[in-house]
Amino acid sequence: MSKTWRPATQLVHGGTLRSQFGETSEAIYLTQGFVYETSEAAEARFKGETDGYIYARYGSPTNDMFEKRMCMLEGAEDARATASGMAAVSAAILCQVKAGDHIVAARALFGSCRWVVETLAPKYGIECTLVDGRDLKNWEEAIRPNTKVFFLESPTNPTLEVVDIAGVARLANQVGAKVVVDNVFATPLFQKPLELGAHIVVYSATKHIDGQGRCLGGVVLADKAWIDENLHDYFRHTGPAMSPFNAWTLLKGIETLPLRVRQQTQNAAKIADFLAEQGKVAKVIYPGRKDHPQADVIAKQMTGGSTLVCFELKGGKEAAFALQNALDIVKISNNLGDSKSLITHPATTTHKNLTDEARAELGISPGTVRFSAGIEDTDDLIEDFAKALAKVSA
């Protein structure tokens, strides 16, 4: 496999293993275990003296193909595929901390991500400080002698705030901490956290990588030394492994990732521009627009916009519900990154467990709506929004 291949080629051919039958499509190895020619061979494999598979919880040929393909795309040395995106987040953070350690995290996180650092970690004696991630001074002021991990999303869910990844990485390196970046909203096509100085990247592969609403999955990517030292044993003994069937499904999905994301991003940009001109819309936040509050950071670390649009309706929750209920093509769902256009009301779904004050800090108002652009015809989507907005009270 050539390291000089461009992403579209990597995502079709990267990491492919073929059996003696020479199949075109990747094979699914639906097995939980593997056999050995001799007892001596089994002993050697368990000792690590010979290569090979031991148990599907540790790894399998199908999962290997998915991991290698993701490594090629991300520019990472190694990866572990997990059962879901949250399994990837939990593993990436918890595998490297212990009681007495300290995590600094951006406060603008997906609800479950925030629960891991704000609620779960402290149960095991791991301290956490949440900061407004947009200002590097906040990261610097939060550092303690026991700080081990910085965790962030960029762009954030759902308000599409952007964090200066390179700046955070510089601060982390000064104190020997590791930066974990959830890169779902940017996709690996538009942002490369490892190139910006981050140490670990996580994805919910459920989103754009599958992108067709079929299965759950996640992946953790980093250099091999970090994975061997931190994630390897955690992964083997706690069991967050991805199903080989899901790995195969994701391999099929990732082949068309550039095609889907390109169309989704074009649709998102045009919908953002359309919404910005509507009198019933208070504001629109989209990384591809010049009026994004952090356009300067976006210009230096992202090569594209996003498939997501965040906007706020003047009429609050009543207007948001009226809009969503009136849409025809766009479906109400808490998922994102799908080939179908989806919309959700964060205050009552993905971020409902936060207090009113916490949501206000994140910029999530009763009128905030998150739109995930699909691959439908752009004009049909604009017409769908226009008809739905007409049914929203002024």
Side-chain angles (χ1 to χ4, degrees), residues 96-320:
Q96 59 179 321
V97 291
K98 63 183 184 305
D101 287 343
H102 176 236
I103 299 169
V104 182
R107 67 188 185 189
L109 296 172
F110 172 58
S112 293
C113 292
R114 185 157 165 164
W115 184 87
V116 169
V117 296
E118 188 178 28
T119 303
L120 179 63
K123 290 183 178 181
Y124 299 100
I126 302 160
E127 300 172 311
C128 175
T129 301
L130 295 175
V131 300
D132 182 341
R134 294 171 293 182
D135 190 339
L136 289 177
K137 290 182 180 179
N138 296 330
W139 293 92
E140 186 173 15
E141 290 173 357
I143 295 172
R144 302 176 186 174
N146 57 338
T147 300
K148 301 299 181 184
V149 174
F150 287 8
F151 176 50
L152 62 97
E153 299 172 1
S154 187
T156 62
N157 183 0
T159 55
L160 298 169
E161 293 178 2
V162 175
V163 178
D164 184 344
I165 297 172
V168 173
R170 284 194 298 271
L171 292 173
N173 289 334
Q174 290 173 12
V175 297
K178 299 296 184 183
V179 178
V180 180
V181 177
D182 182 336
N183 202 43
V184 167
F185 272 41
T187 81
L189 298 174
F190 292 156
Q191 186 168 266
K192 302 287 189 182
L194 297 180
E195 293 180 3
L196 294 167
H199 306 94
I200 302 104
V201 182
V202 295
Y203 288 99
S204 170
T206 311
K207 310 307 191 282
H208 303 91
I209 293 168
D210 172 38
Q212 292 160 84
R214 298 172 297 188
C215 69
L216 298 175
V219 62
V220 182
L221 301 108
D223 64 72
K224 190 176 187 305
W226 181 88
I227 286 182
D228 288 347
E229 182 179 347
N230 297 278
L231 184 58
H232 181 72
D233 286 343
Y234 178 100
F235 188 87
R236 286 177 63 127
H237 298 303
T238 63
M242 178 184 287
S243 156
F245 182 83
N246 285 17
W248 180 83
T249 306
L250 291 166
L251 280 165
K252 295 293 93 186
I254 204 171
E255 290 181 352
T256 59
L257 179 67
L259 303 176
R260 288 182 285 105
V261 168
R262 185 185 308 129
Q263 181 64 34
Q264 288 169 307
T265 304
Q266 290 175 0
N267 281 345
K270 291 182 179 179
I271 292 295
D273 289 343
F274 168 80
L275 291 171
E277 297 174 353
Q278 307 307 307
K280 296 174 184 178
V281 177
K283 66 177 178 180
V284 173
I285 305 173
Y286 181 68
R289 286 177 58 86
K290 293 181 180 179
D291 59 0
H292 190 286
Q294 296 149 292
D296 56 335
V297 180
I298 292 168
K300 70 178 184 179
Q301 73 181 31
M302 295 179 67
T303 58
S306 177
T307 66
L308 283 298
V309 179
C310 179
F311 62 99
E312 181 181 345
L313 291 162
K314 294 179 179 178
K317 176 182 173 181
E318 182 179 351

